[in-house]
Amino acid sequence: MGDRMDSKLWQPSILAEIPDHNYDPALPETSAITQGQTIKKFFEGYENSSKRAQSENGDSLYLRFKENWPAQEDHFAEILPNQYKDMMANLPLTQYTSRDGVLNLASRLPESFVRIDLGPRLWGGYAKSTYNLQYNVSDAVHVMVHANTGDSSNDALEILRNSGCNEDLIKSQGSNSSKLGALWNVFHPKDSEKIKEFVNKNIKDPKKKPRDPLWVGTMYLKEKMLEKLKTEHGITPWTFVQNLGDGVLIPSGSPYQVKILCSSTFVQSEFVSPEHMKESSKLSFSDVLNDDRLQVKNVVFHACKDALSVLENPSDSHTEK
């Protein structure tokens, strides 16, 4: 995707000027960045490690964007209109991923309904920062739009070796280290229940065990924990590297985690595929979430209505989506 997108729009100097409307220094949880830092502070240290925020003992903090930022519907398009257009114009598999795609069931809702919030959202962090194991109600595509190659983790290739990547992949990344971005572990949706049990079983403090550890992103599974999961349950993830410009598609309900290998920025856009509607419904109506953010029943009803109208009036099918 990077070959088609306008890289100038995704430079840190431009993103550093994003307005941080909701930030309140007295309330760290209002920040878009971990550790209560501002967006501007994050990008100041993105390419210059000497300007990074530090902990009380003087160590540099591995900052990253929090999940689901911005949270407000269509806020991304308001604060980054040119970047929004660039992303939407270059999505892969547009029948699924575009807002009016024929196989994006979110497009089936009539205009009189409240629009489903499908992003985009901004991700990213410094080398060695991680996104904990989690899953989403909807499908999503994550595009790596910028990488600060001067900040790659010195032991990045060793991380790949310990993570289960095959030797051919490690060799190819070694000769392509200037674009090295993030390490992904992605699991099949059918394994999510066993993974949740495994995570809660390995949380030492019983008071900190959530009902759904994947929904709240409780833990990042390091190499030893991944091996333990394989030994105890026979569950292994797809493990791969995302390079600059790559887009990664994650199905609804698929548990995944990300380790950033060099300071990188990503943009995420969501969609609702018919193939994964079963998983979307399961999560939407679970007793944990109980939040039909995707308006699943309305989406299914109107998608079926559209399909039936085409079957009953095939001569008018060209007027349908």
Side-chain angles (χ1 to χ4, degrees), residues 152-163:
S152 61
S153 173
N154 293 329
D155 53 357
L157 293 180
E158 189 61 30
I159 291 173
L160 300 188
R161 289 190 181 91
N162 295 333
S163 67

Side-chain angles (χ1 to χ4, degrees), residues 170-217:
I170 295 170
K171 288 180 181 178
S172 67
Q173 295 303 325
S175 61
N176 196 30
S177 58
S178 63
K179 293 186 177 182
L180 199 64
L183 176 69
W184 288 73
N185 299 122
V186 183
F187 296 87
H188 197 285
K190 67 179 176 61
D191 294 324
S192 61
E193 291 302 319
K194 288 184 179 179
I195 292 173
K196 284 191 282 189
E197 293 176 8
F198 176 81
V199 171
N200 273 337
K201 179 182 176 181
N202 286 278
I203 295 175
K204 296 180 180 179
D205 187 348
K207 296 181 180 180
K208 294 183 178 180
K209 292 183 179 181
R211 295 179 65 187
D212 190 336
L214 297 182
W215 182 246
V216 297

Side-chain angles (χ1 to χ4, degrees), residues 48-215:
N48 188 342
S49 58
S50 65
K51 293 185 177 181
R52 292 183 177 177
Q54 296 182 336
S55 63
E56 292 181 357
N57 59 10
D59 294 331
S60 294
L61 298 175
Y62 297 125
L63 301 180
R64 64 168 175 81
F65 271 86
K66 294 177 181 177
E67 292 88 342
N68 299 322
W69 188 90
Q72 295 90 338
E73 183 179 359
D74 291 335
H75 199 188
F76 190 102
E78 294 174 9
I79 60 178
L80 292 166
N82 293 328
Q83 286 80 357
Y84 175 83
K85 292 176 183 176
D86 189 42
M87 178 68 175
M88 293 297 107
N90 293 291
L91 288 168
L93 303 173
T94 54
Q95 286 191 321
Y96 285 96
T97 57
S98 71
R99 293 295 177 262
D100 57 355
V102 67
L103 294 176
N104 183 358
L105 299 189
S107 70
R108 300 298 176 175
L109 282 182
E111 293 183 0
S112 57
F113 282 70
V114 176
R115 288 187 60 187
I116 299 174
D117 181 13
L118 299 174
R121 293 179 172 84
L122 209 58
W123 284 46
Y126 300 161
K128 294 186 178 181
S129 61
T130 58
Y131 283 94
N132 287 349
L133 191 63
Q134 59 188 276
Y135 55 20
N136 295 333
V137 178
S138 57
D139 307 277
V141 55
H142 301 256
V143 185
M144 184 176 165
V145 293
H146 188 273
N148 176 21
T149 55
D151 182 48
S152 61
S153 173
N154 293 329
D155 53 357
L157 293 180
E158 189 61 30
I159 291 173
L160 300 188
R161 289 190 181 91
N162 295 333
S163 67
C165 290
N166 64 53
E167 201 60 36
D168 290 339
L169 176 61
I170 295 170
K171 288 180 181 178
S172 67
Q173 295 303 325
S175 61
N176 196 30
S177 58
S178 63
K179 293 186 177 182
L180 199 64
L183 176 69
W184 288 73
N185 299 122
V186 183
F187 296 87
H188 197 285
K190 67 179 176 61
D191 294 324
S192 61
E193 291 302 319
K194 288 184 179 179
I195 292 173
K196 284 191 282 189
E197 293 176 8
F198 176 81
V199 171
N200 273 337
K201 179 182 176 181
N202 286 278
I203 295 175
K204 296 180 180 179
D205 187 348
K207 296 181 180 180
K208 294 183 178 180
K209 292 183 179 181
R211 295 179 65 187
D212 190 336
L214 297 182
W215 182 246

Side-chain angles (χ1 to χ4, degrees), residues 237-268:
W238 286 274
T239 300
F240 56 90
V241 173
Q242 182 182 21
N243 290 326
L244 177 61
D246 289 347
V248 173
L249 288 155
I250 303 296
S252 168
S254 287
Y256 65 94
Q257 61 180 20
V258 184
K259 179 188 286 288
I260 296 177
L261 302 175
C262 75
S263 290
S264 305
T265 308
F266 309 78
V267 61
Q268 169 200 351

